[in-house]
Amino acid sequence: MEARMPSPATLVPGAMEAIRGLQKATHSAGVPATTMHLVHLRASQINGCSACVDSGTRYAMKGGESAERLFAVAAWRETPYFTDAERAALALTESVTRLNDRAEPVPDAIWAEATRHYEEKPLAALVLWIGVSNFYNRLNAATHQQGGQTW
């Protein structure tokens, strides 16, 4: 499969810089980088974004994440590799990514568990980062961006 066009974020002047600014802000709000990598990877798996699964895995490994944990992200509930805080972030990621899958898109129980592990500012960063990850996924999936690219 070939890309339909270059990434839209690279074609519209200022778009990539704006997205990267939001990305930088979310990554400096107190959530561990490993959690941010897991969140991005899980959203990308759900959305079937090959470019983001590829790049997200590479960035996570570059940041010191183990292959064992990365292989298990899709089955995080059934594996012993994740902390309770990471599990809360992954559950929140799934709910925010799959908004239309249930009557209450982000159930109170999932939100409450996230608030047990993250104060308001880091939780805000997580929600923003989940949104940014989904945004990247939609741009890349719509235009058939391929894994192995650098933007």
Side-chain angles (χ1 to χ4, degrees):
M1 177 169 42
E2 289 186 31
R4 292 176 168 158
M5 64 187 295
S7 172
T10 64
L11 294 174
V12 175
M16 185 58 85
E17 293 78 13
I19 298 165
R20 285 191 176 141
L22 185 54
Q23 183 173 340
K24 183 178 177 182
T26 61
H27 280 74
S28 64
V31 179
T34 53
T35 302
M36 298 297 261
H37 290 306
L38 296 173
V39 161
H40 180 70
L41 179 56
R42 187 64 190 125
S44 300
Q45 289 171 335
I46 292 166
N47 290 321
C49 180
S50 66
C52 288
V53 168
D54 179 76
S55 65
T57 302
R58 291 175 192 275
Y59 284 124
M61 291 182 87
K62 205 181 257 190
E65 187 58 78
S66 72
E68 182 176 60
R69 281 170 38 100
L70 293 173
F71 295 152
V73 169
W76 62 268
R77 285 179 183 84
E78 291 83 27
T79 62
Y81 307 125
F82 305 101
T83 68
D84 289 344
E86 290 168 337
R87 291 175 186 284
L90 289 165
L92 184 62
T93 300
E94 290 183 358
S95 288
V96 173
T97 299
R98 295 177 165 148
L99 290 175
N100 201 36
D101 284 1
R102 56 179 76 139
E104 185 181 7
V106 179
D108 289 339
I110 288 174
W111 186 262
E113 184 64 14
T115 64
R116 279 185 0 94
H117 299 282
Y118 301 98
E119 293 180 5
E120 194 167 65
K121 181 180 171 184
L123 183 56
L126 264 175
V127 172
L128 282 166
W129 181 234
I130 294 165
V132 170
S133 295
N134 277 278
F135 179 71
Y136 274 130
N137 296 162
R138 280 150 178 75
L139 289 178
N140 293 332
T143 60
H144 291 177
Q145 298 304 306
Q146 301 299 297
Q149 296 185 50
T150 57
W151 291 284

